[in-house]
Amino acid sequence: MRFDSNEKNTLWLTAVAHFGVHMAMLVYPTAAVAIAATEGIGLDVVLGWSFLGYAVYGFGGLPVGILTDHMSARWVVRTGLVGLALAMMAVAAVEPGTGLVVALVGVGAFASLYHPAGLGLISKTVRARGTALGINGIFGNLGIAAAPLLTGLAASAWGWRGAYLALGLGLLLPALAVSALPIREAPVGSEADDDDG
């Protein structure tokens, strides 16, 4: 199946976003080991700081889905992707404890924007939906696989703060690139013209 330029742009945006979401959400379990060791805090306490962030990520799906039904899915994905990268970088700047909890909630909140909006965007803009969703799924799984490896390497080189900063910056650059791609979001088969500026 050959994808047209609009479909390719959708696939680039959603692939980077799906990779980024799963990578970002799995940085913390590995980083927590480094945080506990560096800060001299029990690992159980450090892991507990992530609860609210994961809860926001999980429960955010429904309100984001409702939101996406009433506005542009491409802008929800773009906002989530760029915001996620910035939120990861913010984690590097906060102190362990309440500040870290708040920053991780930010990561979870921006990450929660992806699935309802990204999958909806694919459904509205790509004719070969099954193939597109399969490609998208590969990138999400790559994010899962890459997270512990990238986090471990970065934390070993630069500490847990440096890992969050490096991975956030590493996500921000492609996020800005794919967010600039023009996407027409009118449902497939619709005559509506939804040009993206």
Side-chain angles (χ1 to χ4, degrees):
M1 175 70 193
R2 295 177 64 90
F3 298 107
D4 64 27
S5 60
N6 190 62
E7 292 171 328
K8 288 178 182 177
N9 288 348
T10 293
L11 289 175
W12 275 114
L13 174 63
T14 55
V16 171
H18 202 196
F19 175 92
V21 163
H22 285 294
M23 183 271 294
M25 293 309 297
L26 288 177
V27 167
Y28 193 75
T30 301
V33 177
I35 294 170
T38 302
E39 306 297 334
I41 303 169
L43 183 58
D44 57 334
V45 174
V46 175
L47 288 172
W49 291 336
S50 66
F51 174 78
L52 285 178
Y54 284 113
V56 168
Y57 172 61
F59 287 106
L62 180 58
V64 171
I66 295 169
L67 175 69
T68 305
D69 283 339
H70 295 89
M71 65 179 297
S72 166
R74 66 181 180 264
W75 283 107
V76 175
V77 175
R78 289 168 175 163
T79 300
L81 178 56
V82 174
L84 178 60
L86 294 174
M88 289 183 68
M89 295 168 71
V91 171
V94 300
E95 292 302 318
T98 303
L100 187 55
V101 170
V102 172
L104 292 173
V105 166
V107 171
F110 282 112
S112 74
L113 299 182
Y114 175 70
H115 284 97
L119 301 182
L121 181 61
I122 289 172
S123 296
K124 289 196 289 184
T125 59
V126 182
R127 289 164 293 177
R129 293 180 185 92
T131 301
L133 290 170
I135 293 170
N136 187 252
I138 289 172
F139 280 88
N141 290 334
L142 287 174
I144 293 170
L149 175 62
L150 295 177
T151 307
L153 291 173
S156 294
W158 306 304
W160 70 268
R161 293 181 188 278
Y164 262 101
L165 185 61
L167 294 175
L169 182 59
L171 180 59
L172 181 62
L173 299 178
L176 292 173
V178 296
S179 292
L181 296 173
I183 296 173
R184 296 184 310 279
E185 198 175 326
V188 174
S190 169
E191 296 301 320
D193 186 11
D194 189 20
D195 286 330
D196 184 33

